Amino acid sequence: MIAPFKNPFRPGAGQLPPYLAGRQVEIDYFEKSSITQEPILANLIISGLRGVGKTVLLDTLRPIAVKSGWIWAGADLSEAVSVSEKNLSTRILTDLASAVSHIVISESERKEIGFKSSPEKVQHFLSYELLHYIYDDTPGLEADKLKSVLKYTWQKCKSNANGIVLAYDEAQNLKDKSEDKQYPLSLLLEIIQFIQRTEMPYLLILTGLPTLLGNLIEARTYAERMFHQMILSRLSPEESRQAIVVPIQIDNCPVHLTDDSISRIIDHSGGYPYFIQYLCKEIYDSAIQQLSMGRPEPNISFEAIVRKLDSDFYQGRWNKATEKQRNLLNVIASLENAEQEFSLKDIEAAMKLTGTSVSTSAINTMLKSLNEAGLIYKTRHGVYSFAVPMFSYFVKRESK
């Protein structure tokens, strides 16, 4: 029997890895530039493809902010928040109240009936009920109500904090809906700009897919001037190696990877932190199980693990595509620049080489549908990228 060993790798969504590799530049910027601003001039965008570690980085920044005397409020922005300005207001009120409800804003005395009873001190907190009362009691539009709440909150918090962070993950879900006359994204930008002009230290952090900045600019043309953008990319080979090796440098680790195995993990992961965690967890789960069954030298099927990754991570997205769209994805996957950016001209040239005849308008229609399905996104006019990392490799495997 082998000694108990807890697999250190964590491929779950937003799970903090045992060792955070390759993000020190972003952490240093936040610690030395973002939360030291007086007044706040630049908010923060953290963007990148799925699996690159946006949520993990956001969770890493939180204790840094709290240690520096900042109050941290926030949550994931679901599609429901984007339905209306009212929904966004409710989201902000709820998150803010959760972060500040421990702060005492006043005390009063309550006397019990009787001649000898001494008055009891009652503390009043910065509760959700109080914030909602201020919100309801403020005349005007949603923006006026939220501004009033944020101003009141800071007045009551400023003796206990250096500032307040409003941090929202999956922020690409927040969009204006002109057809419904609802503008939640514009509302958020408006109140933050107003509050920061009054030099109240509210710092907005938004994380999301690469489409996030485009959504912000579409809502407000000046939006890019409100933010410093961190674009998270894949890890370098050395950073990837550290993410693999450091977590298993412990005394009771029963399996040690060869240099060849490490290189294969780096290659198949493409440097994306989620894939590194996934592959390593599967390798160690399989090895530990084989050792516990008495096999002295575990036999790991890397191909089987990759197939499992395909099923868990890619297959659901692939199933969204029609047969014609899958044919187009196969053409895109064959491009040398498939994992970077590709254009309509690139696609048409590849189709000519294979003798495929599809009209430009039909290709544009399919690209639009793939964009709406979240398989690709537009980086600029006429230029696209896969919205899912390493997707071209999956498409090639699926087509064999």
Side-chain angles (χ1 to χ4, degrees):
M1 294 294 291
I2 63 169
F5 174 76
K6 184 177 180 180
N7 194 327
F9 296 101
R10 304 169 189 170
Q15 287 287 328
L16 189 67
Y19 175 75
L20 182 60
R23 300 296 179 233
Q24 196 57 50
V25 171
E26 290 80 6
I27 292 171
D28 288 344
Y29 178 88
F30 178 75
E31 188 171 15
K32 297 174 183 178
S33 298
S34 287
I35 56 176
T36 57
Q37 297 178 83
E38 293 183 17
I40 304 296
L41 300 177
N43 300 287
L44 198 57
I45 291 174
I46 302 172
S47 66
L49 297 180
R50 296 203 181 280
V52 82
K54 302 181 296 295
T55 302
V56 167
L57 178 59
L58 187 65
D59 289 343
T60 302
L61 300 182
R62 178 172 184 162
I64 295 172
V66 172
K67 185 178 179 181
S68 298
W70 286 68
I71 294 170
W72 184 284
D76 286 355
L77 288 180
S78 65
E79 295 280 359
V81 175
S82 192
V83 168
S84 67
E85 296 169 15
K86 176 72 173 178
N87 282 16
L88 175 65
S89 298
T90 301
R91 178 76 273 161
I92 293 175
L93 284 175
T94 303
D95 299 331
L96 197 57
S98 178
V100 302
S101 59
H102 64 285
I103 294 176
V104 178
I105 58 173
S106 63
E107 289 185 348
S108 62
E109 291 186 348
R110 181 172 61 197
K111 294 184 178 180
E112 301 291 342
I113 297 174
F115 295 103
K116 295 183 179 180
S117 60
S118 57
E120 178 187 1
K121 284 189 176 183
V122 178
Q123 293 182 325
H124 302 280
F125 296 91
L126 199 51
S127 64
Y128 176 82
E129 291 75 19
L130 176 58
L131 295 184
H132 209 286
Y133 171 80
I134 296 167
Y135 172 85
D136 288 335
D137 197 51
T138 302
L141 303 173
E142 293 290 329
D144 302 307
K145 295 174 179 291
L146 279 176
K147 290 172 187 175
S148 182
V149 170
L150 293 179
K151 285 192 287 185
Y152 181 85
T153 300
W154 176 243
Q155 288 302 316
K156 298 302 180 181
C157 291
K158 63 183 181 181
S159 60
N160 298 289
N162 291 326
I164 299 175
V165 174
L166 295 177
Y168 287 102
D169 201 1
E170 299 291 345
Q172 77 279 348
N173 289 326
L174 191 62
K175 299 175 184 177
D176 288 342
K177 300 180 182 295
S178 56
E179 66 275 11
D180 299 325
K181 296 182 180 179
Q182 292 294 325
Y183 304 92
L185 182 52
S186 294
L187 170 65
L188 178 61
L189 295 176
E190 178 188 343
I191 63 170
I192 291 299
Q193 187 185 43
F194 171 82
I195 288 294
Q196 290 176 347
R197 278 206 308 261
T198 62
E199 299 195 4
M200 282 183 276
Y202 279 87
L203 175 67
L204 178 64
I205 305 178
L206 300 176
T207 75
L209 298 176
T211 53
L212 173 56
L213 182 59
N215 293 345
L216 295 171
I217 294 173
E218 186 176 344
R220 285 287 187 272
T221 54
Y222 57 74
E224 71 274 13
R225 289 177 281 165
M226 293 177 61
F227 292 91
H228 169 78
Q229 187 178 20
M230 293 180 180
I231 302 176
L232 299 190
S233 58
R234 63 183 74 191
L235 302 179
S236 69
E238 181 53 35
E239 291 166 344
S240 298
R241 178 176 291 273
Q242 290 299 307
I244 298 166
V245 173
V246 172
I248 55 178
Q249 290 177 340
I250 49 181
D251 291 338
N252 67 329
C253 182
V255 180
H256 295 281
L257 300 172
T258 65
D259 287 341
D260 180 63
S261 296
I262 293 171
S263 295
R264 292 189 74 186
I265 294 170
I266 293 171
D267 182 52
H268 278 79
S269 71
Y272 287 97
Y274 173 82
F275 293 156
I276 291 174
Q277 296 298 311
Y278 187 99
L279 295 173
C280 288
K281 183 178 188 303
E282 291 297 324
I283 288 170
Y284 271 81
D285 279 348
S286 178
I288 292 166
Q289 180 172 307
Q290 292 181 48
L291 287 170
S292 66
M293 295 172 66
R295 183 165 190 156
E297 295 185 7
N299 181 27
I300 307 298
S301 174
F302 208 83
E303 289 71 21
I305 292 174
V306 171
R307 284 197 297 272
K308 188 173 186 295
L309 173 64
D310 288 347
S311 176
D312 291 349
F313 188 81
Y314 293 111
Q315 199 66 51
R317 295 170 170 87
W318 179 249
N319 291 340
K320 293 180 180 180
T322 65
E323 191 62 35
K324 288 184 178 180
Q325 290 170 345
R326 290 182 183 183
N327 290 336
L328 178 61
L329 289 170
N330 273 299
V331 172
I332 296 172
S334 70
L335 299 173
E336 289 185 5
N337 53 326
E339 283 299 314
Q340 284 80 46
E341 292 182 328
F342 49 87
S343 67
L344 178 62
K345 289 183 178 179
D346 294 332
I347 297 170
E348 289 178 325
M351 284 185 167
K352 284 182 181 179
L353 290 175
T354 60
T356 308
S357 178
V358 181
S359 68
T360 299
S361 61
I363 296 173
N364 271 323
T365 300
M366 284 190 283
L367 289 173
K368 182 179 179 181
S369 298
L370 292 170
N371 181 61
E372 291 171 352
L375 291 171
I376 65 173
Y377 68 96
K378 184 181 287 188
T379 58
R380 57 186 188 276
H381 181 69
V383 180
Y384 299 85
S385 286
F386 279 125
V388 185
M390 307 287 285
F391 194 62
S392 67
Y393 298 99
F394 162 76
V395 173
K396 291 174 182 176
R397 290 193 296 270
E398 190 71 13
S399 302
K400 288 182 178 178

